[in-house]
Amino acid sequence: MQDNINFPIPPVHEISHWHPMRVGSRDVNLFRRLKPSAMLELFQELSVVHAGSLGFGTDEVLSRGAVWVITMQRIDITRMPEEGEIIFLES
């Protein structure tokens, strides 16, 4: 493993990333509400998109002999979205 892996860290105000996603039929339960497991998968997809937009995509990171890991999540839910609804996720 390399000892001096150096990634430039952008200022905090540039790190936030918003992404709209549509809740698909595979993402919902029998009541047509978003399943918690599907919600976590959407967050994982968002993290991949966000990391790539910052230059930390899978290929870039692996080429440096490193990996990135989600170490903390904060999820604020006021209600579970329904099938077909467009939701906005922030990373």
Side-chain angles (χ1 to χ4, degrees), residues 49-67:
V49 171
H50 187 188
S53 74
L54 294 172
F56 297 101
T58 304
D59 292 338
E60 293 85 5
V61 173
L62 289 176
S63 72
R64 295 176 183 218
V67 298

Side-chain angles (χ1 to χ4, degrees), residues 38-81:
M39 179 175 46
L40 294 173
E41 289 175 12
L42 292 174
F43 288 140
Q44 182 174 336
E45 289 302 314
L46 174 64
S47 68
V48 170
V49 171
H50 187 188
S53 74
L54 294 172
F56 297 101
T58 304
D59 292 338
E60 293 85 5
V61 173
L62 289 176
S63 72
R64 295 176 183 218
V67 298
W68 56 263
V69 178
I70 298 172
T71 58
M72 182 175 64
Q73 289 184 334
R74 175 182 167 175
I75 303 171
D76 295 322
I77 304 169
T78 54
R79 68 175 181 79
M80 292 305 276

